[in-house]
Amino acid sequence: MSTPPVLVASDLDRTLIYSAAALALTMPDHRAPRLLCVEVHEHKPLSYVTEHAARLLAELKSATVFVPTTTRTRKQYQRIQLPGGPSRFAICANGGHLLVDGVSDPDWARSVTDRIAAECVSLDEVRAHLRAVADPAWLRKERIAEDLFAYLVVERELLPEGWVKELALWAEPRGWTVSLQGRKIYAVPKPLTKSAAVREVARRTGAELTLAAGDSLLDADLLLAADQGWRPGHGELAEAGWQAPCTEALAERGVLAGEEILRRFLARAAS
């Protein structure tokens, strides 16, 4: 009888992969590790892992069901070329799309949109409120992702203190959550979760152990649903002092946190 596989569901940006700006979390230039570019956008390198993390990730993919689990749209995710070859399953748009061999499962996508329609105010209403309360002095872009959620790109240093909290208070009774990640403010319907999509992958693969990692409030439900999880020493969860019984808060920050998370995944999967 074969052993059930271990499912590893990990956030990507600022958890496993890092932009040039996010690399500044790590260390001075003269101590920076060698890097491998894993994403190119408009002919420019955009995201990186360390060379050691690349080797660890390839090893992890061969030993587990590794599921990239991201808030990125499908198009944004498909720019990423992670070491170790493509994953059979991937989760995009914060759980709105479950990719199987690179193709969105239509039944899953339909079930998500049906639940959002039943439980939340419309995306149009949320966008109208965002436009009404955002200040052009600090707002740079307003975008929607996969017709599922909205986000703002802002000048973080000009963002008024308390503005995100006020938005969250407005969104809560309307069935939406708010998250600040770097220069982006996300407004996401509550039924749109990474954890629900991960549970579906576990059902399809027969996995009995789920491991997870993430750095933002949008990853909290994923970490709570996992048998064991890790969060880096930076990010929204770290700033909030977020803790959970089965989630370990790591001291490592920046790109080296990505390395450490991969080590923890491998050690737990092997045990």
Side-chain angles (χ1 to χ4, degrees):
M1 185 175 178
S2 61
T3 303
V6 175
L7 192 159
V8 175
S10 183
D11 176 52
L12 296 177
D13 294 281
R14 295 169 68 92
T15 298
L16 290 189
I17 69 174
Y18 291 81
S19 67
L23 292 174
L25 293 166
T26 310
M27 59 184 63
D29 290 349
H30 69 279
R31 294 181 55 204
R34 288 169 59 91
L35 300 171
L36 174 70
C37 178
V38 294
E39 180 185 13
V40 174
H41 180 48
E42 295 180 347
H43 311 294
K44 297 178 182 178
L46 189 61
S47 298
Y48 305 84
V49 297
T50 68
E51 288 187 345
H52 186 53
R55 291 190 291 271
L56 292 172
L57 184 53
E59 184 180 348
L60 184 68
K61 284 187 173 184
S62 68
T64 68
V65 177
F66 177 79
V67 183
T69 308
T70 180
T71 305
R72 287 180 177 230
T73 65
R74 287 169 289 174
K75 183 177 180 180
Q76 291 167 336
Y77 166 70
Q78 287 162 355
R79 296 197 304 250
I80 301 172
Q81 303 295 323
L82 293 175
S87 296
R88 184 185 177 199
F89 296 100
I91 294 164
C92 295
N94 211 62
H97 287 282
L98 172 56
L99 274 56
V100 183
D101 295 324
V103 179
S104 180
D105 182 313
D107 292 334
W108 176 259
R110 189 179 308 110
S111 71
V112 172
T113 55
D114 287 349
R115 188 175 171 199
I116 291 171
E119 299 180 18
C120 310
V121 302
S122 71
L123 176 60
D124 287 343
E125 182 175 338
V126 172
R127 292 185 72 193
H129 181 76
L130 289 173
R131 293 192 190 104
V133 299
D135 189 335
W138 47 260
L139 177 64
R140 294 297 169 260
K141 298 176 185 176
E142 187 261 341
R143 295 285 187 269
I144 59 170
E146 304 272 16
D147 290 322
L148 290 169
F149 62 91
Y151 65 93
L152 307 178
V153 181
V154 304
E155 293 292 344
R156 181 77 177 262
E157 63 277 9
L158 300 178
L159 187 66
E161 184 177 354
W163 190 89
V164 174
K165 184 177 181 179
E166 290 178 8
L167 178 62
L169 290 172
W170 177 89
E172 168 68 25
R174 292 166 174 83
W176 289 67
T177 59
V178 173
S179 175
L180 174 62
Q181 300 180 45
R183 295 176 60 240
K184 292 181 179 179
I185 300 170
Y186 290 89
V188 178
K190 290 180 183 179
L192 191 64
T193 65
K194 295 179 178 181
S195 59
V198 168
R199 282 192 288 268
E200 176 63 12
V201 176
R203 185 189 68 81
R204 296 187 187 193
T205 60
E208 296 180 358
L209 176 67
T210 297
L211 310 178
D215 71 295
S216 82
L217 287 176
L218 291 175
D219 297 313
D221 71 284
L222 173 64
L223 293 168
L224 289 169
D227 296 292
Q228 188 167 351
W230 293 268
R231 68 163 175 83
H234 64 261
E236 201 177 20
L237 293 177
E239 291 169 6
W242 187 90
Q243 297 183 34
C246 292
T247 298
E248 182 178 357
L250 300 176
E252 288 82 3
R253 303 174 72 248
V255 71
L256 294 184
E259 274 191 16
E260 185 59 26
I261 287 167
L262 290 166
R263 290 191 195 95
R264 302 297 178 102
F265 281 151
L266 278 164
R268 183 65 181 86
S271 68

